[in-house]
Amino acid sequence: MVQHILFEDINWLGALVAAVVAFVLGAIWYSPLMFARPWQRALGLTDEEIRSGHVGRIFASAFVAMVVAAAGFSLILGQDAGIAAGVHWGLGIGLLFVATSLAIHNAFERRPLHYWAINSGFNLVQFLVYGLILGAWPD
């Protein structure tokens, strides 16, 4: 029997908080303090190109995607899974689904390995944050 996705099964507030925390960590991860320069070089982008375009739209799109991912993670994790299950699922999804999917794109786009490592590393941290926050969220 197929179980229907019930939006009331999603911890919306927890997902929103998890997305905000992951978004802030992403800002640090992709900043000059951490991996901005090697990431930018791997893409062949200048500083001017990074600042150009619709920066607001880029950040808004990224945040919406993070909220959707956190809501989906909440649905998979369940309401009372706990921190251990959250970390387990965060590692599993981050490594087995996201990092491997990015590896496929990385191979076909002929990007350097460190580009994959930077992006996959962030996504692993992102899903660990989702797991920690949603797993620890009080009922």
Side-chain angles (χ1 to χ4, degrees), residues 44-128:
L45 295 174
T46 65
D47 288 340
E48 294 77 33
E49 289 170 321
I50 290 288
R51 288 189 294 271
S52 70
H54 301 282
V55 176
R57 186 182 309 151
I58 292 167
F59 282 98
S61 298
F63 182 71
V64 168
M66 286 182 169
V67 171
V68 171
F73 190 94
S74 173
L75 189 63
I76 291 168
L77 188 62
Q79 293 287 344
D80 43 335
I83 294 175
V87 168
H88 171 86
W89 280 100
L91 279 171
I93 291 171
L95 288 173
L96 301 175
F97 293 97
V98 180
T100 56
S101 295
L102 290 176
I104 294 165
H105 292 283
N106 204 72
F108 280 98
E109 294 171 2
R110 295 164 177 87
R111 300 283 183 198
L113 183 62
H114 71 274
Y115 176 75
W116 170 82
I118 291 166
N119 288 329
S120 294
F122 170 70
N123 288 126
L124 178 59
V125 169
Q126 174 189 7
F127 280 91
L128 281 172

